[in-house]
Amino acid sequence: MSKRPSTTGEDEEPQKRAVTVEADEDAHHFKRHLACELFRGRPTRTEDCALQYITAMRLAPAPVPDEFMSHISKTHPQVTRSRIGWMWNRFKTFFSEREASDYIAIETVACVPEFITAFKAAPHLEEEEPTDDATDNKGMPPTSTPSDTTSRSSARTRSSRQSSASSGSGSLGPAALERMRNEFDQNFSAFMGKPWTLSSGVSVDDLLAPYIHTLTKESTLHSFVIADVSGLLQLVSKDSDKEELRAVLVQREGERQPDLSSIEQSYLGRFDKKPDEVEELLGNGWNNVTPSPEVPDLPGFQFRKDVHFVLQYIYSAYEQTAFTLPTTQLESWFLRKLWGFLDHFLNSKGVMDYQPGEVYLKASAWRKNKDRTLESKQALGRKVDGVVLSCAVRLELCVLEAAPVDNGATGTKALTDTRKMSKCMKDMYDYIRSKSTTNIRDQLVVFGMRISASTITFYTLRQRQGRFYQLACDGCVSFPSMWVPSGRNTTSILTVVSLLLRFKVQMIEMADKIIGWTNGAVLTPDIAINNDTWTPTLTTPPSSPRLSPTT
């Protein structure tokens, strides 16, 4: 496999582009959707050039491999043919191997059937998998400092040398795979605690280790996080062992979100009406509600205040779109117009503080710089779309990731975000434990939310016995695409609100506990109480594929 050349010369803006993309909203949406589906929403400059080529022909698709090669080579002559082939194959896979439902978001802005026909007939090109996020000229943001420039340049040089470690199939190359397995073995052996042993004597830790060695792509399991319970159950032979694991990992007694009280449920149920009737109720305000035969007892003022604020925001979002949510909008639109209430909703005075927008995770930076010396550069934490902090001690409690489209739990962005969130949540968990003055292993819970257009998925992460943690999905709900005038589906909206309220209660309780656990210990060195140890999170290998089959 050919070695990738340095791409540092690509920072200069090319004098001439082979294709000029029409600057209209439909074209922008089409290009943005493909960027999220194929390049994790953050395309490199060469990937953006490929997107321009496809976007320019969205109304009259006629993709030709040689023309695609020529278009990118003219603008970026240093990019190898195998690298361009990898990008071509991404488009071919997207337009020839997906289900019809995956194209709903772009079928009104492009001739999707013609794209499908053209790419199915097109050849598969020789390819080279790209390296890590720092390569291929991501470009410098306006606020970058000289040290940032040096760091990025070094990262590009390193990844250029390591490019041959990645195979064209999407799996890790031999060298990178060996490094990842060695790191897992070292972390596995360094664990000081007792393994997770079932009643039959079977060690779950020893059961998983050989399986993890067979993986050719990075998985959450390399960071000791179980996200696929069904996969673990397949490794167990005895029915009694499976039932024991199901009780802990599936039934999870006592770990579910607390239900709303009957009074709270009755109060929320009074809004199960037609949209115009909901508007009338909201117009009365949350503080002017009096007991009635329908709701004889009222919940606390904070609950009423939250319900009114969230429903008022949601009603406004539907009203502005004629009560039909758009299917072709950017991630920022959904976060601002539909989910904008989270900025206020996730703040609880003196307990929780929500920081929206792209922020760097402090817990992730702690893990990366734990063994840093003055001779090495300081690494930034992982960038996320939002984070909730425990106020008094400023420790991260919940992480948020967002996407502009919902392609289901097995969509490319969903799989990528799930793996990313699991590692971020584990970093948060470990960082809180490192600041605790007592052993909180069996009590601590951290949270995650993944927003995909009008859908929200809730996650929790806990540490199980032995070396492993569990990432669990605690609910996935969606706002209806249309709020019908008859109010038939108002219940769907109230279901989203109900789950948000329950999740908030759970986070507030945990944030308050964290204050007590870490009181007086935030500024002390990292400590381990009563041999309270944990396994490290894996730093993503430079040539790690974008998808993990086990998440």
Side-chain angles (χ1 to χ4, degrees):
M1 184 172 292
S2 60
K3 180 179 178 182
R4 286 182 63 191
S6 171
T7 59
T8 54
E10 192 180 332
D11 287 330
E12 298 181 3
E13 184 68 18
Q15 295 179 355
K16 181 179 179 182
R17 294 192 180 274
V19 176
T20 301
V21 180
E22 57 183 300
D24 61 45
E25 187 176 345
D26 288 347
H28 180 73
H29 168 73
F30 177 75
K31 181 181 175 184
R32 177 64 177 165
H33 179 79
L34 291 183
C36 291
E37 284 294 309
L38 305 182
F39 307 117
R40 297 180 292 178
R42 299 174 182 176
T44 63
R45 292 190 178 184
T46 51
E47 291 166 352
D48 187 72
C49 186
L51 287 167
Q52 290 180 20
Y53 172 84
I54 298 298
T55 303
M57 62 176 66
R58 64 187 178 85
L59 300 179
V64 179
D66 291 341
E67 185 180 86
F68 182 81
M69 286 271 189
S70 176
H71 167 64
I72 297 177
S73 296
K74 285 180 181 179
T75 309
H76 307 290
Q78 71 275 31
V79 179
T80 63
R81 291 181 62 84
S82 56
R83 174 70 177 90
I84 299 175
W86 176 84
M87 290 185 284
W88 170 268
N89 293 338
R90 297 282 289 178
F91 289 110
K92 177 176 170 61
T93 299
F94 177 78
F95 282 112
S96 61
E97 298 181 12
R98 293 290 189 93
E99 298 292 332
S101 59
D102 292 336
Y103 306 119
I104 292 176
I106 57 173
E107 63 183 3
T108 60
V109 297
C111 296
V112 175
E114 294 182 29
F115 269 120
I116 293 174
T117 301
F119 274 108
K120 279 187 175 181
H124 190 279
L125 303 182
E126 179 185 355
E127 67 176 50
E128 172 187 348
E129 174 79 13
T131 55
D132 65 359
D133 293 345
T135 65
D136 203 14
N137 270 352
K138 284 286 185 184
M140 299 297 297
T143 56
S144 296
T145 62
S147 60
D148 291 330
T149 307
T150 304
S151 176
R152 289 169 184 262
S153 177
S154 300
R156 283 194 292 266
T157 304
R158 286 195 302 272
S159 56
S160 178
R161 290 196 298 267
Q162 295 168 341
S163 62
S164 60
S166 178
S167 69
S169 64
S171 300
L172 290 172
L177 185 60
E178 187 64 23
R179 284 194 300 271
M180 187 172 70
R181 286 173 174 169
N182 288 340
E183 183 177 345
F184 172 79
D185 287 342
Q186 291 171 7
N187 295 335
F188 190 93
S189 300
F191 180 69
M192 301 292 292
K194 297 179 180 179
W196 183 359
T197 305
L198 302 178
S199 301
S200 64
V202 172
S203 169
V204 177
D205 294 27
D206 294 336
L207 192 68
L208 280 169
Y211 169 72
I212 295 171
H213 261 264
T214 66
L215 301 177
T216 58
K217 301 179 182 180
E218 185 195 358
S219 162
T220 59
L221 290 171
H222 288 105
S223 296
F224 300 90
V225 177
I226 299 171
D228 179 16
V229 177
S230 61
L232 171 58
L233 293 176
Q234 291 176 11
L235 301 177
V236 180
S237 56
K238 292 184 178 180
D239 290 340
S240 58
D241 289 342
K242 289 183 179 180
E243 289 304 314
E244 186 173 346
L245 286 172
R246 284 195 186 97
V248 176
L249 301 176
V250 180
Q251 298 171 7
R252 298 168 50 222
E253 186 175 351
E255 295 181 355
R256 303 290 181 177
Q257 295 175 354
D259 290 328
L260 298 180
S261 68
S262 58
I263 295 176
E264 291 170 338
Q265 290 177 18
S266 297
Y267 185 81
L268 192 59
R270 70 192 288 265
F271 293 95
D272 192 6
K273 301 179 182 296
K274 299 177 182 179
D276 56 346
E277 294 175 337
V278 172
E279 181 187 25
E280 184 178 351
L281 284 174
L282 293 173
N284 294 330
W286 64 270
N287 205 25
N288 297 321
V289 181
T290 57
S292 65
E294 183 183 9
V295 185
D297 297 305
L298 297 180
F301 82 94
Q302 187 60 53
F303 181 88
R304 285 180 282 142
K305 186 177 179 180
D306 282 345
V307 169
H308 277 253
F309 175 77
V310 172
L311 285 177
Q312 185 70 64
Y313 204 101
I314 294 169
Y315 180 87
S316 177
Y318 274 100
E319 186 180 38
Q320 292 175 27
T321 57
F323 293 92
T324 302
L325 296 179
T327 57
T328 56
Q329 277 293 353
L330 301 179
E331 172 185 312
S332 58
W333 187 93
F334 285 100
L335 286 179
R336 186 178 70 256
K337 295 291 187 179
L338 185 59
W339 299 99
F341 63 83
L342 292 177
D343 291 6
H344 172 80
F345 180 77
L346 292 177
N347 279 292
S348 182
K349 189 175 182 180
V351 182
M352 290 194 319
D353 178 32
Y354 175 57
Q355 295 183 354
E358 292 194 336
V359 294
Y360 291 100
L361 204 64
K362 183 171 66 174
S364 178
W366 165 77
R367 184 248 306 170
K368 293 180 179 180
N369 295 295
K370 199 171 182 181
D371 299 320
R372 176 179 174 258
T373 63
L374 286 176
E375 288 71 30
S376 59
K377 295 184 181 297
Q378 185 169 356
L380 293 173
R382 195 68 186 265
K383 187 180 287 187
V384 295
D385 292 325
V387 66
V388 178
L389 302 168
S390 178
C391 276
V393 289
R394 309 303 293 172
L395 293 175
E396 292 141 341
L397 174 67
C398 177
V399 64
L400 183 144
E401 278 294 303
V405 292
D406 179 22
N407 286 327
T410 57
T412 301
K413 189 69 165 63
L415 290 172
T416 304
D417 282 349
T418 301
R419 186 177 70 178
K420 174 183 175 181
M421 286 181 62
S422 69
K423 296 174 68 172
C424 290
M425 291 168 69
K426 183 178 178 299
D427 285 337
M428 289 155 47
Y429 190 103
D430 292 343
Y431 189 50
I432 293 172
R433 285 187 62 197
S434 75
K435 299 299 182 184
S436 173
T437 56
T438 185
N439 187 341
I440 58 176
R441 174 192 179 117
D442 298 328
Q443 304 173 67
L444 178 61
V445 184
V446 293
F447 307 90
M449 291 184 287
R450 179 168 57 82
I451 292 175
S452 303
S454 59
T455 299
I456 186 168
T457 307
F458 300 93
Y459 296 93
T460 54
L461 183 134
R462 293 174 170 83
Q463 187 170 8
R464 298 305 180 187
Q465 299 179 46
R467 297 168 172 83
F468 289 89
Y469 302 65
Q470 182 189 4
L471 178 74
C473 175
D474 274 14
C476 180
V477 288
S478 302
F479 287 114
S481 59
M482 175 186 292
W483 191 352
V484 296
S486 66
R488 249 189 356 263
N489 58 354
T490 303
T491 302
S492 299
I493 296 174
L494 297 180
T495 299
V496 178
V497 177
S498 173
L499 204 56
L500 279 164
L501 289 165
R502 293 162 58 192
F503 205 65
K504 180 180 179 179
V505 168
Q506 200 176 13
M507 285 196 292
I508 289 177
E509 291 177 352
M510 188 54 57
D512 192 54
K513 289 179 181 179
I514 289 172
I515 294 173
W517 290 333
T518 59
N519 185 31
V522 175
L523 299 179
T524 63
D526 298 334
I527 54 178
I529 303 296
N530 299 326
N531 201 29
D532 186 26
T533 60
W534 55 86
T535 44
T537 308
L538 175 74
T539 298
T540 300
S543 54
S544 179
R546 297 164 188 248
L547 290 180
S548 169
T550 60
T551 55

